[in-house]
Amino acid sequence: MLAAIGIGVVLAGPPVAALNIWLSGLVERQAREELTLSGRRHMVLSEARIARAIQTLDDLAARGIDSCRVSNVDALRQATFATTPVKELSIVAADGRTLCTDVGNQLEQRKVVSSEPLAAGSRALLEVIRLGSQPEQWLRIRRPGAGSGNGVAALIPSALFVPQVSTAGGPLSFHARMFTAGGTLIAERGDAAQGAGRGDHGDLVIADLESSRYALKAAISASHFELAANQADFRALGTVASGLLAILILVTSVLLPRRAPNNPIAEIERALKAGEFVPYFQPIVDIRSGRLRGAEVLIRWRKSDGTIVAPASFIPLAESSGLIIEMTRTLMRRVCLEAGAVLGSRPHLKVGFNLTARHFANEEIVDDVRSIFKKSALRLSQIVLEVTERQPIENLTETRRVVAALQGLGVKVAIDDVGTGHSGLSYMLKLGVDIIKIDKMFIDSLGTDRNSNTIIETLIDLAQNMRMDVIAEGVESFEQVLHLRDLGIRAAQGFVFSPPLPCSAFLQLVETIDPHKSGGDLSAEGPAAAIAAIARSDAA
Ligand code: C2E
Ligand code: CA
Ligand code: CA
Protein backbone atom coordinates (compact mmCIF):
# COMPACT_ATOMS: atom_id res chain seq x y z
CA MET A 1 0.00 0.00 0.00
CA LEU A 2 2.72 2.43 1.11
CA ALA A 3 4.78 1.45 -1.86
CA ALA A 4 1.83 2.17 -4.13
CA ILE A 5 1.43 5.64 -2.60
CA GLY A 6 5.17 6.21 -2.99
CA ILE A 7 5.05 5.26 -6.63
CA GLY A 8 1.99 7.48 -7.06
CA VAL A 9 3.82 10.46 -5.55
CA VAL A 10 6.90 9.85 -7.69
CA LEU A 11 4.73 9.55 -10.78
CA ALA A 12 2.64 12.58 -9.88
CA GLY A 13 5.69 14.72 -9.03
CA PRO A 14 7.04 15.45 -12.50
CA PRO A 15 3.67 16.39 -14.09
CA VAL A 16 2.89 18.70 -11.16
CA ALA A 17 6.33 20.33 -11.40
CA ALA A 18 5.99 20.58 -15.18
CA LEU A 19 2.54 22.09 -14.77
CA ASN A 20 3.92 24.69 -12.41
CA ILE A 21 6.79 25.62 -14.71
CA TRP A 22 4.44 25.73 -17.68
CA LEU A 23 1.95 27.89 -15.78
CA SER A 24 4.69 30.29 -14.71
CA GLY A 25 5.81 30.61 -18.33
CA LEU A 26 2.26 31.23 -19.52
CA VAL A 27 1.54 33.80 -16.81
CA GLU A 28 4.83 35.51 -17.59
CA ARG A 29 4.16 35.61 -21.36
CA GLN A 30 0.64 36.89 -21.00
CA ALA A 31 1.57 39.46 -18.39
CA ARG A 32 4.37 40.70 -20.63
CA GLU A 33 1.98 40.83 -23.61
CA GLU A 34 -0.53 42.86 -21.62
CA LEU A 35 2.12 45.23 -20.34
CA THR A 36 3.60 45.75 -23.79
CA LEU A 37 0.14 46.36 -25.22
CA SER A 38 -0.59 48.92 -22.57
CA GLY A 39 2.77 50.61 -23.09
CA ARG A 40 2.37 50.65 -26.86
CA ARG A 41 -1.08 52.15 -26.61
CA HIS A 42 0.22 54.87 -24.37
CA MET A 43 3.24 55.57 -26.54
CA VAL A 44 0.89 56.13 -29.50
CA LEU A 45 -1.17 58.56 -27.41
CA SER A 46 1.96 60.40 -26.26
CA GLU A 47 3.25 60.67 -29.82
CA ALA A 48 -0.10 62.01 -30.98
CA ARG A 49 0.03 64.71 -28.28
CA ILE A 50 3.51 65.79 -29.34
CA ALA A 51 2.52 65.76 -33.02
CA ARG A 52 -0.44 67.98 -32.16
CA ALA A 53 1.81 70.45 -30.29
CA ILE A 54 4.33 70.50 -33.16
CA GLN A 55 1.58 71.21 -35.63
CA THR A 56 0.43 74.21 -33.59
CA LEU A 57 4.03 75.47 -33.21
CA ASP A 58 4.59 75.13 -36.97
CA ASP A 59 1.36 77.07 -37.62
CA LEU A 60 2.44 79.86 -35.24
CA ALA A 61 5.92 80.06 -36.79
CA ALA A 62 4.42 80.14 -40.29
CA ARG A 63 2.32 83.11 -39.18
CA GLY A 64 5.52 84.92 -38.08
CA ILE A 65 4.66 84.88 -34.38
CA ASP A 66 8.05 85.44 -32.74
CA SER A 67 7.70 88.41 -30.37
CA CYS A 68 5.62 89.47 -27.37
CA ARG A 69 3.45 91.99 -29.22
CA VAL A 70 -0.11 92.09 -27.86
CA SER A 71 -1.52 90.62 -31.08
CA ASN A 72 0.96 87.75 -30.87
CA VAL A 73 0.08 87.01 -27.24
CA ASP A 74 -3.58 86.93 -28.34
CA ALA A 75 -2.72 84.46 -31.08
CA LEU A 76 -0.87 82.30 -28.53
CA ARG A 77 -3.91 82.36 -26.25
CA GLN A 78 -6.29 81.28 -29.01
CA ALA A 79 -3.94 78.51 -30.12
CA THR A 80 -3.62 77.25 -26.51
CA PHE A 81 -7.40 77.02 -26.27
CA ALA A 82 -7.63 75.10 -29.53
CA THR A 83 -4.80 72.64 -28.79
CA THR A 84 -6.16 70.44 -26.03
CA PRO A 85 -3.08 68.77 -24.55
CA VAL A 86 -1.12 72.05 -24.54
CA LYS A 87 -1.48 74.10 -21.35
CA GLU A 88 0.73 77.01 -22.32
CA LEU A 89 2.34 78.44 -25.44
CA SER A 90 5.25 80.85 -25.20
CA ILE A 91 7.81 82.88 -27.09
CA VAL A 92 11.29 81.60 -26.25
CA ALA A 93 14.66 83.23 -26.95
CA ALA A 94 17.41 81.32 -28.75
CA ASP A 95 19.05 80.56 -25.38
CA GLY A 96 15.86 78.93 -24.05
CA ARG A 97 14.65 81.81 -21.84
CA THR A 98 10.87 82.29 -21.83
CA LEU A 99 10.09 85.84 -22.95
CA CYS A 100 6.31 85.73 -22.55
CA THR A 101 3.46 83.24 -22.49
CA ASP A 102 -0.12 83.18 -23.75
CA VAL A 103 -1.18 84.90 -20.52
CA GLY A 104 1.39 87.71 -20.80
CA ASN A 105 4.73 88.53 -19.26
CA GLN A 106 4.28 87.43 -15.63
CA LEU A 107 6.83 84.69 -15.47
CA GLU A 108 8.06 82.58 -12.68
CA GLN A 109 11.51 81.04 -12.99
CA ARG A 110 11.70 78.08 -15.40
CA LYS A 111 14.34 75.51 -14.77
CA VAL A 112 15.34 73.40 -17.75
CA VAL A 113 16.06 69.92 -16.41
CA SER A 114 17.05 68.47 -19.76
CA SER A 115 17.05 69.49 -23.41
CA GLU A 116 17.58 67.20 -26.38
CA PRO A 117 16.59 66.94 -30.05
CA LEU A 118 12.93 65.89 -30.44
CA ALA A 119 13.90 63.39 -33.12
CA ALA A 120 17.02 62.50 -35.06
CA GLY A 121 17.81 65.32 -37.48
CA SER A 122 15.09 67.60 -36.06
CA ARG A 123 15.78 71.19 -34.95
CA ALA A 124 12.90 71.02 -32.50
CA LEU A 125 13.76 70.21 -28.90
CA LEU A 126 12.18 67.98 -26.29
CA GLU A 127 12.75 69.50 -22.88
CA VAL A 128 11.82 68.62 -19.34
CA ILE A 129 11.24 71.72 -17.24
CA ARG A 130 10.05 72.88 -13.82
CA LEU A 131 8.07 76.04 -13.11
CA GLY A 132 9.27 78.09 -10.13
CA SER A 133 9.72 75.94 -7.07
CA GLN A 134 6.92 73.49 -7.95
CA PRO A 135 7.96 69.85 -7.91
CA GLU A 136 5.88 68.87 -10.98
CA GLN A 137 7.64 68.49 -14.28
CA TRP A 138 6.37 69.61 -17.65
CA LEU A 139 7.33 68.56 -21.12
CA ARG A 140 8.28 71.49 -23.31
CA ILE A 141 8.37 71.13 -27.07
CA ARG A 142 10.45 73.98 -28.43
CA ARG A 143 10.64 75.09 -32.03
CA PRO A 144 13.64 77.42 -32.38
CA GLY A 145 13.31 80.43 -34.69
CA ALA A 146 15.43 80.92 -37.80
CA GLY A 147 19.04 81.95 -37.09
CA SER A 148 19.32 83.57 -33.66
CA GLY A 149 15.69 84.75 -33.67
CA ASN A 150 13.04 83.86 -31.10
CA GLY A 151 11.16 80.58 -31.29
CA VAL A 152 7.88 79.20 -29.93
CA ALA A 153 7.33 76.51 -27.34
CA ALA A 154 4.46 74.43 -25.95
CA LEU A 155 4.11 73.08 -22.40
CA ILE A 156 2.30 69.78 -21.87
CA PRO A 157 1.65 68.33 -18.37
CA SER A 158 4.03 65.42 -17.93
CA ALA A 159 1.28 63.26 -16.36
CA LEU A 160 -0.21 62.92 -19.87
CA PHE A 161 2.79 60.79 -20.81
CA VAL A 162 2.01 57.85 -18.54
CA PRO A 163 -1.15 55.71 -18.55
CA GLN A 164 -3.78 56.72 -15.99
CA VAL A 165 -5.76 53.48 -16.09
CA SER A 166 -5.07 49.91 -17.10
CA THR A 167 -5.90 48.61 -20.57
CA ALA A 168 -9.03 47.07 -19.14
CA GLY A 169 -10.16 50.44 -17.80
CA GLY A 170 -9.52 49.59 -14.13
CA PRO A 171 -6.95 51.01 -11.73
CA LEU A 172 -3.36 50.85 -12.87
CA SER A 173 -1.78 47.68 -11.51
CA PHE A 174 1.70 48.37 -12.76
CA HIS A 175 4.51 50.88 -12.58
CA ALA A 176 4.85 53.04 -15.70
CA ARG A 177 7.61 55.49 -16.48
CA MET A 178 8.34 57.66 -19.51
CA PHE A 179 11.85 58.92 -20.22
CA THR A 180 13.52 61.09 -22.81
CA ALA A 181 15.88 59.17 -25.09
CA GLY A 182 18.74 60.64 -23.01
CA GLY A 183 17.27 59.04 -19.87
CA THR A 184 15.60 61.96 -18.04
CA LEU A 185 12.45 60.82 -16.25
CA ILE A 186 9.46 62.71 -17.66
CA ALA A 187 6.73 61.14 -15.55
CA GLU A 188 5.97 58.13 -13.45
CA ARG A 189 2.76 56.46 -12.35
CA GLY A 190 1.77 53.48 -10.30
CA ASP A 191 3.28 51.96 -7.24
CA ALA A 192 7.03 51.61 -7.47
CA ALA A 193 6.71 48.78 -4.94
CA GLN A 194 4.86 46.85 -7.64
CA GLY A 195 7.64 47.63 -10.08
CA ALA A 196 11.31 48.41 -9.93
CA GLY A 197 11.43 49.11 -6.22
CA ARG A 198 10.63 45.61 -5.08
CA GLY A 199 13.31 43.01 -4.70
CA ASP A 200 15.42 41.61 -7.46
CA HIS A 201 14.57 41.69 -11.12
CA GLY A 202 13.58 38.05 -11.04
CA ASP A 203 10.32 39.18 -9.42
CA LEU A 204 9.44 41.59 -12.19
CA VAL A 205 7.80 41.48 -15.54
CA ILE A 206 9.26 44.36 -17.51
CA ALA A 207 8.38 45.83 -20.89
CA ASP A 208 10.64 48.45 -22.47
CA LEU A 209 9.50 50.46 -25.49
CA GLU A 210 10.99 53.11 -27.70
CA SER A 211 9.13 55.62 -29.81
CA SER A 212 9.83 55.36 -33.52
CA ARG A 213 8.93 59.03 -34.01
CA TYR A 214 10.36 60.98 -31.10
CA ALA A 215 13.12 60.80 -28.50
CA LEU A 216 10.89 58.99 -25.98
CA LYS A 217 11.14 55.67 -24.27
CA ALA A 218 8.87 53.93 -21.79
CA ALA A 219 9.46 51.33 -19.11
CA ILE A 220 6.53 49.43 -17.68
CA SER A 221 6.89 46.87 -14.95
CA ALA A 222 4.81 44.88 -12.55
CA SER A 223 5.73 42.30 -10.00
CA HIS A 224 5.30 38.80 -11.22
CA PHE A 225 3.53 38.17 -7.96
CA GLU A 226 0.85 40.83 -8.62
CA LEU A 227 0.20 39.67 -12.15
CA ALA A 228 0.09 36.04 -11.22
CA ALA A 229 -2.18 36.62 -8.22
CA ASN A 230 -5.16 35.34 -10.19
CA GLN A 231 -3.41 32.08 -10.77
CA ALA A 232 -2.43 31.51 -7.14
CA ASP A 233 -5.37 29.25 -6.26
CA PHE A 234 -5.00 27.33 -9.45
CA ARG A 235 -1.33 26.72 -8.71
CA ALA A 236 -1.89 25.73 -5.11
CA LEU A 237 -4.41 23.22 -6.36
CA GLY A 238 -1.88 21.95 -8.86
CA THR A 239 0.73 21.50 -6.17
CA VAL A 240 -1.45 19.45 -3.84
CA ALA A 241 -3.39 17.61 -6.47
CA SER A 242 -2.73 14.03 -7.33
CA GLY A 243 -0.78 13.13 -10.43
CA LEU A 244 -4.01 12.24 -12.13
CA LEU A 245 -5.56 15.65 -11.48
CA ALA A 246 -2.36 17.35 -12.62
CA ILE A 247 -2.40 15.40 -15.86
CA LEU A 248 -6.10 16.18 -16.31
CA ILE A 249 -5.47 19.92 -15.87
CA LEU A 250 -2.48 19.70 -18.14
CA VAL A 251 -4.46 17.96 -20.88
CA THR A 252 -7.38 20.41 -20.56
CA SER A 253 -4.98 23.35 -20.62
CA VAL A 254 -3.22 22.01 -23.69
CA LEU A 255 -6.47 21.31 -25.48
CA LEU A 256 -8.09 24.61 -24.58
CA PRO A 257 -5.27 27.11 -24.20
CA ARG A 258 -7.26 29.91 -25.81
CA ARG A 259 -10.01 29.51 -23.27
CA ALA A 260 -7.66 30.39 -20.44
CA PRO A 261 -9.38 33.25 -18.60
CA ASN A 262 -6.00 34.91 -18.12
CA ASN A 263 -5.67 35.69 -21.82
CA PRO A 264 -8.23 38.46 -22.18
CA ILE A 265 -7.73 38.91 -25.92
CA ALA A 266 -8.35 35.24 -26.64
CA GLU A 267 -11.35 35.43 -24.32
CA ILE A 268 -12.81 38.32 -26.36
CA GLU A 269 -12.17 36.40 -29.57
CA ARG A 270 -14.00 33.40 -28.17
CA ALA A 271 -16.91 35.52 -26.96
CA LEU A 272 -17.18 37.12 -30.40
CA LYS A 273 -17.51 33.71 -32.01
CA ALA A 274 -20.01 32.66 -29.36
CA GLY A 275 -22.18 35.72 -30.05
CA GLU A 276 -21.85 37.09 -26.52
CA PHE A 277 -21.61 40.75 -27.59
CA VAL A 278 -25.09 42.23 -27.83
CA PRO A 279 -26.52 45.65 -28.67
CA TYR A 280 -28.29 47.78 -26.07
CA PHE A 281 -30.21 50.81 -27.28
CA GLN A 282 -30.41 54.19 -25.59
CA PRO A 283 -33.33 56.26 -26.94
CA ILE A 284 -32.63 59.71 -28.39
CA VAL A 285 -35.56 62.06 -27.96
CA ASP A 286 -36.71 65.21 -29.71
CA ILE A 287 -37.10 67.47 -26.67
CA ARG A 288 -39.43 69.89 -28.42
CA SER A 289 -42.00 67.40 -29.67
CA GLY A 290 -41.36 64.46 -27.33
CA ARG A 291 -41.02 62.18 -30.33
CA LEU A 292 -38.47 59.44 -30.54
CA ARG A 293 -35.59 60.31 -32.90
CA GLY A 294 -33.89 56.96 -32.71
CA ALA A 295 -31.23 55.39 -30.50
CA GLU A 296 -27.55 54.98 -29.87
CA VAL A 297 -26.32 51.40 -29.90
CA LEU A 298 -24.14 50.65 -26.86
CA ILE A 299 -22.43 47.31 -26.73
CA ARG A 300 -22.69 44.89 -23.81
CA TRP A 301 -20.93 41.60 -23.16
CA ARG A 302 -23.56 39.11 -22.05
CA LYS A 303 -21.61 36.21 -20.60
CA SER A 304 -22.93 32.66 -20.67
CA ASP A 305 -23.73 32.89 -16.92
CA GLY A 306 -25.95 35.91 -17.60
CA THR A 307 -23.64 38.63 -16.25
CA ILE A 308 -23.63 41.83 -18.26
CA VAL A 309 -20.25 43.51 -18.71
CA ALA A 310 -20.01 47.24 -19.52
CA PRO A 311 -17.90 48.36 -22.48
CA ALA A 312 -15.24 50.10 -20.38
CA SER A 313 -13.95 46.65 -19.37
CA PHE A 314 -13.32 45.34 -22.86
CA ILE A 315 -13.45 48.11 -25.50
CA PRO A 316 -9.91 49.43 -24.76
CA LEU A 317 -8.46 45.94 -25.24
CA ALA A 318 -10.61 45.34 -28.33
CA GLU A 319 -9.27 48.61 -29.72
CA SER A 320 -5.61 48.00 -28.98
CA SER A 321 -5.76 44.43 -30.30
CA GLY A 322 -7.65 45.38 -33.45
CA LEU A 323 -10.59 43.10 -32.58
CA ILE A 324 -12.82 46.18 -32.49
CA ILE A 325 -13.21 46.01 -36.28
CA GLU A 326 -14.78 42.55 -36.18
CA MET A 327 -16.71 43.47 -33.02
CA THR A 328 -18.34 46.45 -34.73
CA ARG A 329 -19.26 44.34 -37.77
CA THR A 330 -20.84 41.71 -35.54
CA LEU A 331 -22.77 44.38 -33.64
CA MET A 332 -24.08 45.99 -36.84
CA ARG A 333 -25.19 42.63 -38.25
CA ARG A 334 -26.94 41.81 -35.01
CA VAL A 335 -28.81 45.14 -34.97
CA CYS A 336 -29.97 44.47 -38.55
CA LEU A 337 -31.13 41.03 -37.62
CA GLU A 338 -32.91 41.89 -34.37
CA ALA A 339 -34.16 45.44 -34.94
CA GLY A 340 -34.02 45.84 -38.73
CA ALA A 341 -37.71 45.18 -39.39
CA VAL A 342 -39.13 47.42 -36.64
CA LEU A 343 -36.72 50.31 -37.31
CA GLY A 344 -36.64 49.87 -41.09
CA SER A 345 -40.38 50.43 -41.25
CA ARG A 346 -39.87 53.78 -39.45
CA PRO A 347 -37.37 55.54 -41.71
CA HIS A 348 -37.47 58.70 -39.56
CA LEU A 349 -35.73 56.80 -36.72
CA LYS A 350 -31.92 56.90 -36.70
CA VAL A 351 -29.52 54.34 -35.24
CA GLY A 352 -26.07 55.42 -34.04
CA PHE A 353 -22.99 53.19 -33.78
CA ASN A 354 -19.73 54.05 -32.04
CA LEU A 355 -16.56 53.84 -34.10
CA THR A 356 -12.97 54.35 -32.98
CA ALA A 357 -9.99 56.14 -34.55
CA ARG A 358 -8.84 52.78 -35.93
CA HIS A 359 -11.94 52.54 -38.14
CA PHE A 360 -10.82 55.64 -39.98
CA ALA A 361 -7.34 54.43 -40.85
CA ASN A 362 -8.57 52.93 -44.16
CA GLU A 363 -11.75 52.43 -46.18
CA GLU A 364 -12.58 48.97 -44.86
CA ILE A 365 -15.41 50.43 -42.77
CA VAL A 366 -17.01 51.91 -45.90
CA ASP A 367 -17.21 48.45 -47.51
CA ASP A 368 -18.43 46.94 -44.24
CA VAL A 369 -21.25 49.46 -43.82
CA ARG A 370 -22.27 49.14 -47.46
CA SER A 371 -22.39 45.35 -47.45
CA ILE A 372 -23.98 44.95 -44.01
CA PHE A 373 -26.87 47.36 -44.58
CA LYS A 374 -27.41 46.51 -48.25
CA LYS A 375 -29.30 43.36 -47.33
CA SER A 376 -31.10 44.90 -44.35
CA ALA A 377 -34.48 46.56 -43.90
CA LEU A 378 -32.54 49.30 -42.07
CA ARG A 379 -31.65 51.94 -44.63
CA LEU A 380 -28.27 53.60 -44.95
CA SER A 381 -30.03 56.96 -44.45
CA GLN A 382 -30.98 55.75 -40.94
CA ILE A 383 -27.41 55.08 -39.87
CA VAL A 384 -25.32 57.48 -37.79
CA LEU A 385 -21.65 56.73 -37.12
CA GLU A 386 -20.07 58.37 -34.09
CA VAL A 387 -16.39 59.18 -33.93
CA THR A 388 -15.12 60.22 -30.53
CA GLU A 389 -13.15 63.35 -29.81
CA ARG A 390 -11.53 61.56 -26.87
CA GLN A 391 -8.99 59.77 -29.04
CA PRO A 392 -6.51 61.77 -31.08
CA ILE A 393 -6.91 61.51 -34.84
CA GLU A 394 -3.74 60.12 -36.30
CA ASN A 395 -4.18 61.01 -39.93
CA LEU A 396 -6.54 63.85 -40.65
CA THR A 397 -6.41 63.51 -44.45
CA GLU A 398 -7.27 59.81 -44.45
CA THR A 399 -9.93 60.23 -41.75
CA ARG A 400 -11.53 62.99 -43.74
CA ARG A 401 -11.57 60.80 -46.83
CA VAL A 402 -13.24 57.95 -44.96
CA VAL A 403 -15.82 60.34 -43.45
CA ALA A 404 -16.63 61.69 -46.92
CA ALA A 405 -16.90 58.17 -48.37
CA LEU A 406 -19.30 57.18 -45.58
CA GLN A 407 -21.39 60.28 -46.16
CA GLY A 408 -21.36 59.33 -49.85
CA LEU A 409 -23.20 56.13 -48.89
CA GLY A 410 -25.90 58.25 -47.27
CA VAL A 411 -25.00 57.68 -43.63
CA LYS A 412 -24.55 60.57 -41.18
CA VAL A 413 -21.37 61.09 -39.17
CA ALA A 414 -21.30 62.54 -35.66
CA ILE A 415 -18.52 63.75 -33.34
CA ASP A 416 -19.00 62.20 -29.91
CA ASP A 417 -17.92 63.54 -26.50
CA VAL A 418 -17.48 67.05 -27.84
CA GLY A 419 -15.51 69.25 -25.47
CA THR A 420 -13.48 66.49 -23.81
CA GLY A 421 -11.03 65.63 -26.51
CA HIS A 422 -7.36 65.74 -27.27
CA SER A 423 -7.71 67.22 -30.70
CA GLY A 424 -9.66 70.40 -30.04
CA LEU A 425 -13.00 71.07 -31.65
CA SER A 426 -11.66 73.21 -34.50
CA TYR A 427 -9.49 70.30 -35.58
CA MET A 428 -12.37 67.82 -35.39
CA LEU A 429 -14.64 70.12 -37.36
CA LYS A 430 -12.27 69.85 -40.31
CA LEU A 431 -13.78 66.38 -40.74
CA GLY A 432 -17.00 67.89 -42.08
CA VAL A 433 -19.43 65.95 -39.90
CA ASP A 434 -23.24 66.21 -39.71
CA ILE A 435 -23.88 66.03 -35.95
CA ILE A 436 -22.09 67.00 -32.74
CA LYS A 437 -22.84 65.31 -29.43
CA ILE A 438 -22.21 67.50 -26.40
CA ASP A 439 -20.59 65.58 -23.57
CA LYS A 440 -22.32 64.95 -20.25
CA MET A 441 -19.60 66.96 -18.50
CA PHE A 442 -21.13 70.20 -19.86
CA ILE A 443 -24.70 69.09 -19.30
CA ASP A 444 -23.89 68.35 -15.63
CA SER A 445 -22.73 71.88 -14.97
CA LEU A 446 -25.57 73.55 -16.89
CA GLY A 447 -27.07 76.35 -14.88
CA THR A 448 -24.36 76.22 -12.21
CA ASP A 449 -21.30 76.99 -14.29
CA ARG A 450 -21.39 80.06 -16.50
CA ASN A 451 -18.58 78.66 -18.68
CA SER A 452 -20.62 75.56 -19.50
CA ASN A 453 -23.54 77.68 -20.67
CA THR A 454 -21.21 79.79 -22.78
CA ILE A 455 -19.55 76.73 -24.28
CA ILE A 456 -22.92 75.17 -25.13
CA GLU A 457 -24.17 78.43 -26.64
CA THR A 458 -20.99 78.69 -28.72
CA LEU A 459 -21.40 75.09 -29.87
CA ILE A 460 -25.01 75.71 -30.87
CA ASP A 461 -24.03 78.82 -32.85
CA LEU A 462 -21.26 76.94 -34.53
CA ALA A 463 -23.55 74.03 -35.34
CA GLN A 464 -26.14 76.35 -36.83
CA ASN A 465 -23.53 78.10 -38.99
CA MET A 466 -22.14 74.81 -40.19
CA ARG A 467 -25.60 73.22 -40.59
CA MET A 468 -24.88 70.51 -38.05
CA ASP A 469 -27.34 68.89 -35.69
CA VAL A 470 -26.68 68.91 -31.92
CA ILE A 471 -27.44 66.11 -29.46
CA ALA A 472 -27.04 66.59 -25.69
CA GLU A 473 -25.75 63.51 -23.85
CA GLY A 474 -26.15 62.30 -20.29
CA VAL A 475 -29.27 64.33 -19.50
CA GLU A 476 -30.43 63.25 -16.08
CA SER A 477 -33.08 65.72 -14.95
CA PHE A 478 -36.17 67.40 -16.24
CA GLU A 479 -34.68 70.84 -15.38
CA GLN A 480 -31.78 70.08 -17.69
CA VAL A 481 -34.24 69.20 -20.47
CA LEU A 482 -36.02 72.53 -20.08
CA HIS A 483 -32.73 74.39 -19.91
CA LEU A 484 -31.44 72.70 -23.06
CA ARG A 485 -34.70 73.45 -24.83
CA ASP A 486 -34.32 77.14 -23.91
CA LEU A 487 -30.81 77.08 -25.34
CA GLY A 488 -32.27 75.83 -28.63
CA ILE A 489 -31.18 72.19 -28.51
CA ARG A 490 -33.56 69.74 -30.17
CA ALA A 491 -32.24 66.30 -29.33
CA ALA A 492 -31.13 64.63 -26.11
CA GLN A 493 -30.41 61.27 -24.56
CA GLY A 494 -29.89 60.32 -20.95
CA PHE A 495 -31.21 58.57 -17.89
CA VAL A 496 -34.06 61.11 -17.56
CA PHE A 497 -35.66 59.34 -20.52
CA SER A 498 -34.14 55.91 -20.39
CA PRO A 499 -30.94 53.97 -19.69
CA PRO A 500 -29.60 51.81 -22.53
CA LEU A 501 -32.19 49.03 -23.03
CA PRO A 502 -31.87 45.45 -24.23
CA CYS A 503 -33.17 45.02 -27.76
CA SER A 504 -36.56 43.53 -26.87
CA ALA A 505 -37.35 46.31 -24.36
CA PHE A 506 -36.29 48.98 -26.84
CA LEU A 507 -38.44 47.54 -29.63
CA GLN A 508 -41.39 47.40 -27.24
CA LEU A 509 -40.80 51.07 -26.45
CA VAL A 510 -40.74 51.91 -30.16
CA GLU A 511 -44.02 50.06 -30.73
CA THR A 512 -45.56 51.90 -27.76
CA ILE A 513 -44.60 55.47 -28.47
CA ASP A 514 -44.12 55.32 -32.21
CA PRO A 515 -46.86 52.96 -33.45
CA HIS A 516 -47.66 52.69 -37.12
CA LYS A 517 -51.15 53.96 -36.45
CA SER A 518 -51.26 57.61 -35.33
CA GLY A 519 -51.26 58.60 -31.68
CA GLY A 520 -48.74 56.89 -29.48
CA ASP A 521 -49.44 55.72 -25.98
CA LEU A 522 -49.03 58.72 -23.69
CA SER A 523 -50.33 56.78 -20.68
CA ALA A 524 -47.45 54.36 -20.83
CA GLU A 525 -45.03 53.69 -17.98
CA GLY A 526 -41.21 53.79 -17.61
CA PRO A 527 -39.13 55.35 -20.40
CA ALA A 528 -42.22 55.76 -22.57
CA ALA A 529 -43.85 57.83 -19.80
CA ALA A 530 -40.75 60.02 -19.38
CA ILE A 531 -40.63 60.69 -23.09
CA ALA A 532 -44.37 61.31 -23.25
CA ALA A 533 -44.00 63.83 -20.39
CA ILE A 534 -41.81 65.94 -22.68
CA ALA A 535 -44.51 65.86 -25.32
CA ARG A 536 -47.10 66.96 -22.72
CA SER A 537 -44.86 69.73 -21.34
CA ASP A 538 -44.61 71.03 -24.88
CA ALA A 539 -48.33 70.97 -25.44
CA ALA A 540 -48.86 72.82 -22.15
P1 C2E B 1 -20.49 57.00 -25.11
O1 C2E B 1 -20.53 56.72 -26.57
O2 C2E B 1 -20.21 58.40 -24.69
O3 C2E B 1 -21.86 56.48 -24.53
C1 C2E B 1 -22.58 57.12 -23.56
C2 C2E B 1 -22.37 56.47 -22.23
O4 C2E B 1 -23.04 57.24 -21.24
C3 C2E B 1 -22.99 55.08 -22.15
O5 C2E B 1 -22.19 54.31 -21.28
C4 C2E B 1 -24.34 55.35 -21.50
O6 C2E B 1 -24.87 54.24 -20.84
C5 C2E B 1 -23.97 56.45 -20.54
N1 C2E B 1 -25.11 57.31 -20.22
C6 C2E B 1 -26.15 57.62 -21.01
N2 C2E B 1 -27.00 58.47 -20.39
C7 C2E B 1 -26.47 58.72 -19.19
C8 C2E B 1 -26.90 59.53 -18.07
O7 C2E B 1 -27.93 60.21 -18.08
N3 C2E B 1 -26.10 59.54 -16.98
C9 C2E B 1 -24.95 58.81 -16.93
N4 C2E B 1 -24.23 58.87 -15.81
N5 C2E B 1 -24.51 58.04 -17.96
C10 C2E B 1 -25.27 58.00 -19.07
P2 C2E B 1 -21.76 52.84 -21.67
O8 C2E B 1 -22.87 52.13 -22.35
O9 C2E B 1 -21.13 52.25 -20.46
O10 C2E B 1 -20.65 53.10 -22.76
C11 C2E B 1 -19.43 53.69 -22.42
C12 C2E B 1 -18.61 53.96 -23.63
O11 C2E B 1 -18.17 52.77 -24.26
C13 C2E B 1 -19.38 54.71 -24.71
O12 C2E B 1 -19.41 56.07 -24.39
C14 C2E B 1 -18.52 54.41 -25.92
O13 C2E B 1 -17.42 55.27 -25.98
C15 C2E B 1 -18.03 53.02 -25.64
N6 C2E B 1 -18.84 52.08 -26.43
C16 C2E B 1 -20.05 51.55 -26.17
N7 C2E B 1 -20.45 50.74 -27.16
C17 C2E B 1 -19.46 50.76 -28.09
C18 C2E B 1 -19.27 50.14 -29.36
O14 C2E B 1 -20.10 49.39 -29.88
N8 C2E B 1 -18.11 50.42 -30.02
C19 C2E B 1 -17.17 51.26 -29.50
N9 C2E B 1 -16.06 51.49 -30.21
N10 C2E B 1 -17.31 51.87 -28.31
C20 C2E B 1 -18.45 51.62 -27.62
CA1 CA C 1 -21.33 57.49 -28.37
CA1 CA D 1 -20.56 60.27 -25.73
Side-chain angles (χ1 to χ4, degrees), residues 368-439:
D368 282 349
V369 168
R370 190 192 292 117
S371 67
I372 291 171
F373 294 101
K374 194 171 66 186
K375 294 166 260 157
S376 167
L378 253 175
R379 302 160 202 214
L380 283 162
S381 58
Q382 293 182 270
I383 306 304
V384 177
L385 300 173
E386 302 186 2
V387 46
T388 177
E389 199 198 299
R390 267 179 223 282
Q391 295 167 338
I393 289 191
E394 295 277 295
N395 181 340
L396 185 66
T397 319
E398 183 60 22
T399 304
R400 217 160 151 175
R401 217 155 53 125
V402 175
V403 167
L406 287 168
Q407 290 168 324
L409 293 180
V411 312
K412 298 267 185 287
V413 179
I415 299 178
D416 199 2
D417 311 316
V418 160
T420 63
H422 296 292
S423 307
L425 185 62
S426 54
Y427 191 69
M428 297 294 294
L429 288 181
K430 293 197 181 122
L431 297 177
V433 301
D434 310 284
I435 301 166
I436 58 175
K437 298 190 75 174
I438 301 181
D439 192 73

